[in-house]
Amino acid sequence: YYDHTKDIADTLSFNQVISSWMHLATNEPNAGEEALRVFNRMKGSYRLGNPHSKPNKLSFSMTFSALIKCNGRMSAFSAEDVLQDMIYFYREENDDAIKPEKDMFDTVLHALVKWSHLKNSNSACEDALNRSFKLLRQMDELGITIDTLTYNSVIAIILRNTSK
C-alpha cells in the first residue's frame, strides 16, 4: 500500500538531486553511490505505487553518468547494473521512452575495458569478457546497431584476456 503523504517526491525532484550528484562526481568520490542511492529510492517509490516518481531516461542516464565519472573500483559494475535496470524497466513497462541507447552500452563496455586493464588477473579479464558478450547479446535483442566502436571495446577486452 502506497501512502502518498510519506513520499511526495516526483520524477523532477528526484532527477534534480541525481543531477546534483552527477555534477559533483568528478570531485566527490562518493557522488556516484549517492546518485545511485537516490535513484534506488526513486524506483522504490514508483514500485510502491507513486506514479509521479517513475524514472525516465534522464534518471537512468544521470545515475549512470555519475557512476562512470567517479571512476571508482566498482563503477563499471554499478553502471552495468543501472543499464540492466533500464533494460528491465523498458521491457516491464513496454515504454519506448526508456529504451537504452547504444551510447550507454558503449560506455559500459569502455568502463569494462578500463577495469580489465586495472585488474591484473585472469578472472577479472574473463569476467569483463563474459559481461561484454552479454551486453552484445542484449544490444542485438533490443535491435541496437553494433558498430566498430562497440566491437573495438570487446576486442580490447579479448586481447587483454589472451595476454594474461
Side-chain angles (χ1 to χ4, degrees), residues 61-123:
S61 179
M62 289 188 303
T63 304
F64 185 84
S65 183
L67 289 163
I68 293 295
K69 283 181 180 182
C70 282
N71 206 19
R73 184 171 62 87
M74 297 303 287
S75 63
F77 296 149
S78 297
E80 183 189 6
D81 288 344
V82 171
L83 180 58
Q84 295 302 327
D85 263 354
M86 190 174 193
I87 293 167
Y88 178 79
F89 248 81
Y90 164 69
R91 289 178 173 157
E92 181 182 83
E93 299 286 324
N94 198 24
D95 183 353
D96 283 339
I98 303 176
K99 184 177 180 182
E101 295 177 3
K102 180 189 170 309
D103 65 325
M104 295 186 88
F105 283 91
D106 286 341
T107 302
V108 170
L109 287 167
H110 183 71
L112 288 170
V113 170
K114 286 174 60 177
W115 182 79
S116 70
H117 286 337
L118 290 174
K119 295 293 179 186
N120 202 12
S121 72
N122 288 337
S123 62

Side-chain angles (χ1 to χ4, degrees), residues 125-144:
C125 289
E126 189 174 321
D127 188 27
L129 187 60
N130 289 333
R131 289 169 184 266
S132 67
F133 286 144
K134 178 183 177 184
L135 291 170
L136 286 176
R137 280 191 302 276
Q138 289 176 317
M139 289 177 77
D140 187 51
E141 290 168 5
L142 293 168
I144 297 171

Side-chain angles (χ1 to χ4, degrees), residues 12-73:
L12 179 63
S13 302
F14 278 114
N15 281 353
Q16 287 173 332
V17 177
I18 294 169
S19 175
S20 296
W21 285 115
M22 179 190 69
H23 290 295
L24 291 170
T26 52
N27 298 320
E28 178 63 42
N30 294 330
E33 292 172 22
E34 290 300 321
L36 184 59
R37 186 182 58 75
V38 173
F39 177 69
N40 285 333
R41 176 143 184 222
M42 177 185 204
K43 289 187 314 183
S45 175
Y46 177 69
R47 288 193 170 128
L48 287 173
N50 179 358
H52 305 294
S53 64
K54 180 181 178 182
N56 59 22
K57 191 173 276 190
L58 188 59
S59 313
F60 287 97
S61 179
M62 289 188 303
T63 304
F64 185 84
S65 183
L67 289 163
I68 293 295
K69 283 181 180 182
C70 282
N71 206 19
R73 184 171 62 87

